[in-house]
Amino acid sequence: MLIALSVALLIFIADYYAYPWWQPIRAPIADKGQNGLWVRYKFYFGEHTDDEIDALAHRIVDGRFSDAYIHVRFIKKDGSLAYRYPERAKHLLSRLRESAPGTRMIAWVYAGNESGGGEVDLTDRRVRKKMVDEAVWLVDVCGFDGVQWDYETCPDGDTNLLKLLTETRTALPTGARLSVCAPVIYPLGLRFGWSQGYVSKIAQYVDQVAVMCYDTGYLTPRSYVALTRKQVVWFTQLVSKASKHANVVIGVPTYGQGLRSHNPRAENLRNALRGVREGLARDDAVKDAFAGVAVFADYTTTEDEWKTYRALWLGD
């Protein structure tokens, strides 16, 4: 018995440190040029020079990003934006559009509830009304092409998020994009993340579901690749059935040590892209519902990781 346990432990350790280096990715490149990039709030704050804005625009074009999610920070308890910089936003967006025409500039808005380290209460209609007003302001006044609500961590089945999405959709001008960040769907009925039924409801109100495929708690490379593969299949199936126009992007991580739920040896760009490509190669994945991957984030991605992204996702 002891010998068997020892052998099993050695196999586990070897797999943990070696997977998947001896296995080339056989699934085909699946880039459509519809990828997303999460961008640090300092651009919205006006803390970057024009040269740095131009460099970001070059990165967007070079990485075939159709969506730039620009962080405008967070919602306060009363539903208002903590920071409002309309003139800085206008300058940033104008400059980016000169060098990266056609890219959608989306205001990425964090709205944390108590379980997500914030204080936003979506059960309060007045809070939701103020949030919707801020979303409209970001589009009409600042010039963003839409908003992305990042309501972490939303309880599964929360009807108040559905109300926020409905109210936001109704208030936004025609053509403005509405995106939502979503946690992963866990297998085996684990009580974390969102259920498949809730994802189906969410998809009815948005143009895009951005799956945050990181901080999953999956701490081994093989299990994380398998989880990512599953997200591609599940989310594309669910979104395609729920909406005729919504699509899916899979968020992939490019940061080091973070929360306890993130092990960079498992959750890294290389493993995430492997999982996405293998998921899309499955017959049960709905490829038409898949847009691309979304890199988290511009400010954590190293040059080596950009090379990995280009090689494994763009095929360059």
Side-chain angles (χ1 to χ4, degrees):
M1 183 66 176
L2 182 59
I3 294 176
L5 289 175
S6 298
V7 170
L9 179 61
L10 287 174
I11 292 173
F12 173 82
I13 293 173
D15 187 70
Y16 178 81
Y17 285 102
Y19 178 86
W21 299 108
W22 72 90
Q23 296 181 355
I25 304 176
R26 302 193 184 281
I29 297 288
D31 173 54
K32 298 179 179 180
Q34 299 178 35
N35 306 298
L37 177 65
W38 277 289
V39 177
R40 199 176 193 181
Y41 66 88
K42 289 188 176 183
F43 281 95
Y44 171 69
F45 278 28
E47 297 181 12
H48 285 279
T49 65
D50 283 351
D51 286 345
E52 289 170 328
I53 295 173
D54 292 344
L56 173 62
H58 174 76
R59 180 71 74 188
I60 289 170
V61 172
D62 190 56
R64 300 175 200 167
F65 294 110
S66 62
D67 295 90
Y69 312 120
I70 300 171
H71 202 189
V72 298
R73 292 302 297 272
F74 60 91
I75 293 292
K76 296 190 294 185
K77 188 174 184 178
D78 65 355
S80 63
L81 272 172
Y83 303 98
R84 298 170 114 247
Y85 297 126
E87 297 307 317
R88 300 175 192 179
K90 291 176 186 177
H91 176 76
L92 169 66
L93 299 178
S94 175
R95 189 92 187 182
L96 285 174
R97 287 183 176 121
E98 287 181 9
S99 301
T103 303
R104 290 184 291 255
M105 306 299 171
I106 308 298
W108 162 31
V109 191
Y110 175 76
N113 60 4
E114 289 183 359
S115 61
E119 53 184 9
V120 176
D121 180 9
L122 291 187
T123 63
D124 190 328
R125 180 183 58 81
R126 295 168 300 179
V127 171
R128 296 199 311 272
K129 174 62 167 59
K130 184 60 178 175
M131 291 174 68
V132 170
D133 289 344
E134 297 288 44
V136 172
W137 177 82
L138 285 164
V139 173
D140 283 349
V141 176
C142 295
F144 285 98
D145 295 309
V147 294
Q148 182 183 74
W149 287 125
D150 185 357
Y151 185 53
E152 298 183 25
T153 49
C154 173
D156 181 42
D158 188 344
T159 59
N160 296 295
L161 177 57
L162 299 179
K163 291 177 183 178
L164 174 65
L165 295 175
T166 303
E167 293 157 0
T168 304
R169 166 63 71 207
T170 301
L172 285 177
T174 302
R177 296 273 291 179
L178 179 57
S179 175
V180 65
C181 292
V184 298
I185 299 170
Y186 286 89
L188 305 177
L190 296 177
R191 293 182 177 272
F192 302 102
W194 288 353
S195 65
Q196 296 192 31
Y198 190 53
V199 169
S200 295
K201 292 179 180 178
I202 289 287
Q204 297 175 34
Y205 302 100
V206 299
D207 299 300
Q208 185 181 80
V209 179
V211 186
M212 300 179 293
C213 208
Y214 38 83
D215 289 328
T216 64
Y218 276 52
L219 304 181
T220 66
R222 186 180 294 276
S223 65
Y224 174 68
V225 170
L227 179 70
T228 305
R229 190 164 53 232
K230 280 289 189 183
Q231 302 313 300
V232 174
V233 174
W234 285 337
F235 272 93
T236 58
Q237 288 179 345
L238 295 167
V239 171
S240 68
K241 290 178 182 178
S243 172
K244 294 181 179 180
H245 68 272
N247 60 38
V248 177
V249 293
I250 302 295
V252 294
T254 60
Y255 58 98
Q257 199 63 49
L259 302 174
R260 292 182 179 178
S261 56
H262 170 71
N263 175 14
R265 175 170 285 279
E267 291 186 353
N268 57 56
L269 182 62
R270 183 177 293 274
N271 287 342
L273 294 178
R274 170 183 287 272
V276 173
R277 284 174 54 178
E278 291 178 353
L280 284 171
R282 289 175 54 109
D283 292 337
D284 49 353
V286 183
K287 297 172 181 59
D288 288 344
F290 177 82
V293 297
V295 175
F296 188 90
D298 81 289
Y299 57 96
T300 60
T301 309
T302 66
E303 286 304 318
D304 283 344
E305 285 172 320
W306 281 123
K307 292 178 182 177
T308 297
Y309 170 79
R310 294 192 61 81
L312 298 187
W313 187 247
L314 305 184
D316 293 348

